Amino acid sequence: SYFITFVIMFIAAVLSASLAAKLRENARQASIAERKTKILLGINRLLQKQSDVRSVTDAVAGELSKLLKRDVAVYLVDTNDSTQLQEPVIYRSEDSTGGDLTADIERHTAEWTFRNKACAGATTNKFPEAECLYNVIALGSHVYGVVGIKADGGDTDYFEDDMLMSLLGECAMAIESIKNSREKEEAAVLAQNEQLRANLLSTISHDLRTPLTSISGSAGNLLANYKNMDDEDRVQTFTDIYNDSMWLINLVENILSITRIKSGKLGVELSLELVDDVMDEAMRHIDRQKSEHVIKVTEEDKFILARMDPRLIVQVIINLVNNAIKYTPKGSVIEIHTAKKDDMVEISVTDNGPGIPDEQKKSVFEMFYSGSHKVADSRRSMGLGLALCRSIVTAHGGTIRVEDNVPHGAKFIFTLQAGEVENYEQELDTGY
């Protein structure tokens, strides 16, 4: 009479046991998935902080070594030859059993894996004598390297295989992201350089036309009317030709200096120099229009020494003074002042012209920026002089800035490292 009850209870017990087994398996899979997700999330956050390929592979290889408790060998693709692998980097685990992971067979297996994009080495039919199992770090058709996991005489389980492939995929995506970021940066730099080159050519062609037209016109006038011109007209014509020629020479000097700076060929040879001597040299090369302005040179001390490349600092002073001459009306006062402030020498060029608006101060040292003021001789400025000044002063370890000259005008100030008189005298005594 209990047979039916027994059968029903037996079936219920079997179903309950089956469901319990499935629940335990689902719980185990969920635990594995949670662990995998946690590991991948951690490695993903870690990879986001890396900025180069080597740091990415270091992070991934380190995680693999901890997770699998096995030694790891990483071969990256040679940056100079994409068909070759670099020398391997070995990452030892805490439970390392040693072994030579750089032997010829290991290298040969890694190269085969790289060329064929297939798994090889220990536990496979291809080069089973190798100590490591090799897989490629690849995304699509792009292979970035090869990773070898030391077999240590045993196969990896499903979870370890799954994590290995997932981490290699994360590694490939991180490398691809870095590669794309660099390509974007290089493209942006290339586009900027192309735009800079276009701006330079456009500006040069525009700015050279006016002085060249003036020179050719003045020369033609002299050829045609020399005998009919009085001495005053001849002197004025020769002066116009000279001024335009000097402007062209200064322009070419600035362009060549900017080119050397951009190409990294601007050699700064520092030496201890008297600021007065450098100032005198600069005054001999100031624009001929200085006769139409009042230029004063003042100093707090007669013997101020600074560490500088005198030829470059002369160019800075010339550019600043010529800039003041160019943007101020005739009769304006331009003062060049030198002073020692702590361990720095401060040189300022001040004018009492119209000054520079506040919104333009932050841009005056940029290339091709010439502001809204009209140049005194109606010739548009290329905006190279102040950019060159900033580059030269920065190369000397100094700073340059612009301020207002109260009640009106502009004041450009740049600094250089000061020198000591005692050191200077000692260098002279030793045949400096």
Side-chain angles (χ1 to χ4, degrees):
S1 61
Y2 295 102
F3 178 75
I4 295 174
T5 302
F6 172 76
V7 171
I8 293 173
M9 295 298 291
F10 180 78
I11 293 173
V14 170
L15 291 176
S16 298
S18 177
L19 289 174
K22 288 183 179 179
L23 286 174
R24 285 194 298 270
E25 179 61 23
N26 289 338
R28 189 180 72 85
Q29 293 295 336
S31 176
I32 292 174
E34 181 183 3
R35 184 185 175 197
K36 177 183 175 181
T37 302
K38 187 179 295 184
I39 292 174
L40 291 178
L41 181 60
I43 193 66
N44 184 267
R45 289 175 176 173
L46 182 62
L47 293 180
Q48 289 179 358
K49 300 177 182 179
Q50 312 308 317
S51 58
D52 58 80
V53 174
R54 175 57 68 187
S55 62
V56 167
T57 55
D58 286 344
V60 172
E63 288 297 318
L64 282 174
S65 180
K66 293 177 186 177
L67 180 65
L68 305 180
K69 297 180 180 179
R70 304 188 184 195
D71 296 341
V72 178
V74 177
Y75 296 77
L76 288 177
V77 175
D78 195 327
T79 53
N80 298 321
D81 184 358
S82 60
T83 63
Q84 299 294 327
L85 293 175
Q86 299 178 11
E87 290 300 315
V89 179
I90 309 301
Y91 303 84
R92 298 288 183 181
S93 69
E94 294 181 357
D95 303 325
S96 176
T97 57
D100 185 8
L101 302 188
T102 60
D104 291 342
I105 182 61
E106 305 297 326
R107 176 84 188 195
H108 185 62
T109 307
E111 290 177 347
W112 187 92
T113 302
F114 171 62
R115 289 193 299 271
N116 295 274
K117 301 179 184 177
C119 184
T123 72
T124 70
N125 296 326
K126 199 70 178 178
F127 307 107
E129 64 274 19
E131 290 195 44
C132 293
L133 174 65
Y134 290 91
N135 288 277
V136 292
I137 304 172
L139 188 65
S141 59
H142 298 285
V143 179
Y144 302 109
V146 175
V147 171
I149 307 296
K150 192 176 180 184
D152 281 337
D155 295 338
T156 53
D157 59 27
Y158 171 78
F159 173 76
E160 291 175 338
D161 288 338
D162 188 33
M163 288 305 305
L164 172 61
M165 301 311 298
S166 297
L167 288 179
L168 292 182
E170 289 286 338
C171 181
M173 286 190 290
I175 294 175
E176 179 73 12
S177 177
I178 291 174
K179 179 183 175 184
N180 291 338
S181 177
R182 287 181 178 176
E183 288 178 351
K184 288 180 181 179
E185 290 176 0
E186 291 173 358
V189 171
L190 181 61
Q192 185 180 8
N193 289 339
E194 288 298 327
Q195 184 63 43
L196 184 64
R197 187 177 294 108
N199 289 344
L200 183 61
L201 292 175
S202 175
T203 308
I204 289 176
S205 61
H206 183 280
D207 283 5
L208 291 184
R209 186 181 298 121
T210 299
L212 287 175
T213 300
S214 177
I215 290 173
S216 61
S218 298
N221 187 31
L222 285 172
L223 288 173
N225 304 302
Y226 186 82
K227 294 182 178 179
N228 299 326
M229 299 170 66
D230 56 28
D231 290 341
E232 184 178 352
D233 290 337
R234 291 180 190 137
V235 170
Q236 183 59 50
T237 305
F238 283 128
T239 301
D240 292 341
I241 293 175
Y242 178 84
N243 288 337
D244 286 323
S245 300
M246 290 303 299
W247 188 86
L248 287 174
I249 290 173
N250 290 333
L251 170 63
V252 172
E253 286 293 330
N254 284 343
I255 292 174
L256 290 176
S257 296
I258 286 289
T259 303
R260 287 194 293 269
I261 289 172
K262 292 299 180 183
S263 63
K265 297 180 179 178
L266 181 68
V268 179
E269 299 177 1
L270 298 180
S271 60
L272 208 55
E273 302 288 341
L274 275 170
V275 176
D276 284 348
D277 292 343
V278 175
M279 204 68 64
D280 292 341
E281 179 66 22
M283 289 301 100
R284 286 195 287 269
H285 296 83
I286 296 299
D287 196 304
R288 284 288 294 271
Q289 292 178 344
K290 68 181 180 182
S291 58
E292 300 173 353
H293 295 71
V294 179
I295 299 180
K296 299 178 180 179
V297 179
T298 60
E299 64 278 323
E300 290 187 3
D301 195 325
K302 266 292 184 184
F303 301 100
I304 299 178
L305 293 168
R307 293 198 172 274
M308 68 177 86
D309 187 326
R311 61 187 178 86
L312 295 178
I313 297 304
V314 164
Q315 192 169 3
V316 170
I317 297 170
I318 290 173
N319 281 340
L320 292 178
V321 176
N322 280 344
N323 197 65
I325 292 173
K326 189 185 302 180
Y327 284 100
T328 57
K330 295 179 180 180
S332 297
V333 177
I334 300 170
E335 181 180 358
I336 308 167
H337 182 73
T338 60
K340 185 176 179 182
K341 300 292 180 67
D342 298 327
D343 59 344
M344 303 296 288
V345 174
E346 192 174 271
I347 301 175
S348 62
V349 177
T350 307
D351 66 68
N352 59 353
I356 300 174
D358 291 337
E359 63 272 13
Q360 295 182 15
K361 286 186 174 68
K362 60 182 180 180
S363 304
V364 293
F365 295 105
E366 297 176 3
M367 290 185 65
F368 305 117
Y369 183 85
S370 56
S372 59
H373 292 308
K374 296 295 184 180
V375 178
D377 60 1
S378 299
R379 184 187 298 139
R380 187 167 63 89
S381 171
M382 284 190 65
L384 289 178
L386 293 180
L388 177 61
C389 290
R390 181 176 63 177
S391 298
I392 292 175
V393 172
T394 302
H396 280 73
T399 60
I400 186 169
R401 65 186 188 275
V402 59
E403 299 176 352
D404 289 328
N405 180 34
V406 181
H408 57 84
K411 183 177 185 179
F412 287 88
I413 306 168
F414 69 93
T415 60
L416 299 170
Q417 294 180 358
E420 296 296 334
V421 176
E422 296 83 1
N423 294 339
Y424 183 65
E425 291 175 348
Q426 184 178 2
E427 288 171 351
L428 289 176
D429 292 339
T430 55
Y432 173 73

